[in-house]
Amino acid sequence: MRRSLERHWYAYAMVAPVVVVLAVLVLYPLVQGIWFTLTDINESTIANPVLDRPASYSFVGLRNYLNVLSGDSSFGSFWSTLLRTIIWTASCVVLTYGVGLGLALLLNRPMRARALYRVLLILPWAVPVFISAFAWKFMFNSQFGVINQLLGAVGLGQPVWLGQTDLALVAVVIVNVWVGVPFMMLALLGGLQSIPADLYEAAEVDGATPWQRFRDITLPGLRSVSSTVVLLGIIWTFNMFPVIYLVTGPAANPNTRILVTYAFERFFSGASRDYAVASTYGVLILSVLLVFATFYRRALRRQEAFA
Amino acid sequence: MSIVQVPVTRIPLRGKRSRGRSVALHATLVVASLIAVFPVFWVLVTSFKPDARAVAPTIRLFDESSLANYGDVLSGQQGDFLAWVANSVEIALLTTVIAVFLSATTGYAVSRFRFPGSRKLLLSFLVVQMFPFAVLIVPLFNVLLTLGLQGTSIGLVLVYCTTSVPFCTYMLKGYFDTIPGDIDESGRVDGLSPFGVFWRLVLPLARPGLAVTAFYAFLTAWGEVAFASAFLSASDESKTLAVGLQVFVQQNRVEWGHLAAASILVAIPAVAVFYLVQRFLVTGLAAGAVKG
């Protein structure tokens, strides 16, 4: 131990600040957050030095978990919200990846105005997400929004996009895909460009069809980039807050409620500042993600072993 | 891979593309570009219309258009826009400085030295990436209350460091990995301390990586909505842009024209800077991720 300290003291010294920051601002809060899920902490029982009020919450055991996991609607209908979160995540990631890959493939060939297309297609990434959310909320306006006016002009129906129906979920998926495609596209474009061109030439000499070239060269060549961006995409979308909150808010719409927005609702909105339930949701979200990431990595490793 | 640019290996033209396929290719890309650009264009058009005209029963590009919205927003007649800008800049800059400084030393240590615990540390950075804000929001709120920082911008800076520092460390580690270790060794031979090597040799070489990391940290803090909505005090002048702009969106009445003008004012510098750094950003992001 002492020898290790002597040998590595400068490494430890350089790492120390970050370890301290992480310990104080992530680890300690995490432990405390888990503890809060076992209590009945809320706005009136949390310690508040400004009001000179000590903490008065008490230990309640697993009550919060039982309440939430019972799926009761007064605790956010956990199971149906989880299902909606999964539908939301899956549809967003599949669409974003599909469109991103399609555009990357198109952009990866020599043609006129390639650089111009690239810049135009990146634009949604450059706009801050809260601005994009407002822009789409404006365009989805049921009476005067430009989307419905265009639909009306070509003789189609003019649905109420952001009402209390599942159409609102479709709307936020559209927004999130619009926001997310540029990142996917560019990451995949980088991946495509790292595939050696002579592989394609050799395949062509051997008489491979375009589809075969795509399946046997492009997709395997993209594997490492794909697996990373898909994992990132899933985690980001699962936790995506601003798009849903700003497009359908400020009054929460139960048809677009995902786990994260409900936790925030519980923490923040008006009468029900129930910090204990908000924390419980947080811990459950984290558990779902950790379990998922573990399986994902294992599946990837198995896939690599076969390849 | 690293934050250096991926060399562009052009795929040679496989024969000549037929006319029909060429048209289809360009048509697809034009449609996609239109979809990408249109919302921004529409906000721009709307920003010149009065609130009442922004939601008119027929679509018009120009409808009593003028610069009035911009005047109102900038003069503070509609929300304290300049104060929001100042808050956003202050919070984002502070976050950036702290995050880059902390993550540079750690990224370097993790990149260069094999010490017990270094792998675990890196792994923990990855796991922290996965944390939804919902896990930390209550305890961080509690910490800030206890410290008396609830409702202040310093409190928000601390909160943003929890997400920025691990991510920046990861990115910078990837960048430091691309700087040859020979440089460090020759520095040591010339009598520099480990810290001297880092400070005098490696940091200057890593300037592009630092720039990208800083940009990323800045943007993350600049656009964050959830913590900013929850942790800033309710008074109008303490808000960031992401929270302040919500003032225009009331339950029953939305000031679309003013919101659009404010949005354009926020988006233009972001788009401009983004345009300058985007090619580095992509490869940098891919690098940090792929190495994991």
Side-chain angles (χ1 to χ4, degrees):
Chain A
M1 183 67 203
R2 241 193 95 173
R3 278 200 36 211
S4 149
L5 256 183
E6 254 161 46
R7 257 185 58 200
H8 300 294
W9 69 268
Y10 42 82
Y12 285 121
M14 287 179 112
V15 175
V18 169
V19 174
V20 170
V21 168
L22 281 186
V24 174
L25 287 176
V26 179
L27 204 62
Y28 169 71
L30 180 65
V31 173
Q32 202 182 37
I34 295 172
W35 161 241
F36 283 161
T37 65
L38 305 174
T39 68
D40 61 352
I41 190 167
N42 62 30
E43 197 182 12
S44 59
T45 55
I46 197 171
N48 192 329
V50 181
L51 304 175
D52 201 19
R53 190 189 64 201
S56 60
Y57 53 87
S58 52
F59 180 77
V60 297
L62 292 174
R63 198 181 72 192
N64 291 317
Y65 288 96
L66 292 176
N67 281 338
V68 169
L69 292 176
S70 74
D72 195 272
S73 66
S74 54
F75 290 93
S77 315
F78 178 81
W79 298 106
S80 58
T81 307
L82 175 65
L83 181 67
R84 189 180 303 110
T85 312
I86 292 172
I87 294 172
W88 147 265
T89 308
S91 41
C92 282
V93 174
V94 167
L95 288 171
T96 315
Y97 183 83
V99 176
L101 179 60
L103 290 175
L105 287 169
L106 293 183
L107 279 183
N108 194 35
R109 39 189 91 193
M111 64 174 151
R112 237 170 268 145
R114 201 166 91 142
L116 177 67
Y117 286 131
R118 206 180 93 130
V119 168
L120 292 179
L121 289 170
I122 289 178
L123 187 75
W125 196 14
V127 181
V129 172
F130 60 93
I131 304 282
S132 308
F134 291 134
W136 281 91
K137 189 183 169 74
F138 177 53
M139 298 201 306
F140 273 129
N141 185 299
S142 61
Q143 269 180 291
F144 306 120
V146 67
I147 292 177
N148 272 0
Q149 296 204 352
L150 287 176
L151 287 178
V154 293
L156 291 170
Q158 300 180 312
V160 178
W161 287 98
L162 301 175
Q164 306 276 321
T165 61
D166 284 333
L167 207 55
L169 189 62
V170 175
V172 285
V173 167
I174 293 175
V175 179
N176 199 46
V177 169
W178 185 83
V179 168
V181 159
F183 168 77
M184 279 288 180
M185 182 187 79
L186 282 185
L188 292 170
L189 193 59
L192 286 177
Q193 292 180 341
S194 66
I195 301 174
D198 36 335
L199 281 181
Y200 288 100
E201 281 163 30
E204 212 163 352
V205 171
D206 290 344
T209 63
W211 166 247
Q212 283 172 330
R213 290 197 297 262
F214 176 71
R215 201 191 55 197
D216 296 329
I217 302 175
T218 310
L219 283 184
L222 284 179
R223 183 176 289 146
S224 73
V225 177
S226 294
S227 62
T228 312
V229 291
V230 168
L231 179 62
L232 278 180
I234 288 173
I235 292 173
W236 286 341
T237 315
F238 204 89
N239 291 327
M240 175 51 84
F241 174 78
V243 166
I244 293 182
Y245 177 72
L246 294 178
V247 172
T248 62
N253 181 345
N255 293 286
T256 56
R257 174 191 286 161
I258 62 171
L259 296 176
V260 167
T261 58
Y262 186 71
F264 188 77
E265 227 176 279
R266 215 56 202 212
F267 172 83
F268 193 52
S269 68
S272 60
R273 290 208 169 194
D274 193 337
Y275 300 146
V277 172
S279 300
T280 309
Y281 263 85
V283 170
L284 288 171
I285 294 167
L286 186 61
S287 327
V288 172
L289 284 176
L290 283 176
V291 169
F292 167 77
T294 316
F295 277 107
Y296 187 85
R297 283 182 76 116
R298 202 171 294 165
L300 274 187
R301 219 167 289 153
R302 201 172 308 142
Q303 203 183 9
E304 261 157 39
F306 277 121
Chain B
M1 279 219 286
S2 65
I3 308 187
V4 286
Q5 246 190 295
V6 176
V8 184
T9 49
R10 282 180 187 275
I11 295 168
L13 258 185
R14 290 188 284 272
K16 203 82 175 116
R17 202 179 292 129
S18 75
R19 202 182 183 83
R21 294 187 62 175
S22 180
V23 170
L25 171 69
H26 281 279
T28 317
L29 284 170
V30 167
V31 170
S33 304
L34 278 179
I35 295 175
V37 174
F38 184 77
V40 182
F41 167 75
W42 197 240
V43 171
L44 182 67
V45 170
T46 307
S47 68
F48 299 114
K49 299 177 186 172
D51 283 339
R53 289 288 159 210
V55 284
T58 47
I59 322 179
R60 285 208 205 117
L61 271 190
F62 301 102
D63 203 345
E64 298 176 25
S65 295
S66 70
L67 288 172
N69 290 331
Y70 288 92
D72 290 351
V73 166
L74 285 174
S75 68
Q77 218 167 341
Q78 303 288 326
D80 211 341
F81 185 76
L82 293 178
W84 303 337
V85 174
N87 290 333
S88 284
V89 169
E90 180 200 335
I91 290 174
L93 272 185
L94 267 177
T95 308
T96 309
V97 171
I98 297 177
V100 170
F101 180 75
L102 286 180
S103 53
T105 54
T106 312
Y108 180 72
V110 182
S111 161
R112 286 301 195 269
F113 308 124
R114 290 281 149 269
F115 56 94
S118 62
R119 284 190 61 86
K120 277 197 193 107
L121 196 63
L122 264 182
L123 190 68
S124 71
F125 292 159
L126 265 193
V127 174
V128 170
Q129 293 277 301
M130 234 186 298
F131 278 25
F133 71 85
V135 184
L136 296 179
I137 194 165
V138 179
L140 283 174
F141 178 70
N142 189 38
V143 168
L144 294 186
L145 264 182
T146 318
L147 295 175
L149 291 174
Q150 207 276 321
T152 67
S153 26
I154 300 293
L156 209 55
V157 169
L158 284 180
V159 170
Y160 289 158
C161 283
T162 61
T163 42
S164 302
V165 168
F167 190 79
C168 292
T169 309
Y170 219 80
M171 270 172 75
L172 280 177
K173 186 223 172 242
Y175 196 84
F176 289 136
D177 282 347
T178 66
I179 299 174
D182 302 351
I183 293 176
D184 302 42
E185 273 167 40
S186 54
R188 291 304 300 272
V189 172
D190 290 345
L192 282 173
S193 68
F195 189 78
V197 169
F198 166 70
W199 191 252
R200 297 223 202 138
L201 293 180
V202 178
L203 269 194
L205 283 173
R207 229 177 274 147
L210 292 173
V212 175
T213 317
F215 176 69
Y216 196 85
F218 188 89
L219 271 198
T220 324
W222 180 259
E224 205 278 334
V225 178
F227 282 126
S229 304
F231 286 178
L232 285 171
S233 70
S235 70
D236 199 36
E237 68 272 7
S238 80
K239 290 176 170 140
T240 62
L241 285 165
V243 183
L245 258 54
Q246 293 175 44
V247 167
F248 295 121
V249 189
Q250 300 300 331
Q251 195 75 276
N252 305 314
R253 190 178 54 96
V254 181
E255 299 170 13
W256 287 119
H258 287 107
L259 177 61
S263 299
I264 291 296
L265 288 173
V266 178
I268 282 178
V271 171
V273 176
F274 199 93
Y275 176 72
L276 295 174
V277 297
Q278 38 101 358
R279 48 180 65 233
F280 302 106
L281 195 68
V282 183
T283 38
L285 268 179
V290 171
K291 296 214 92 172

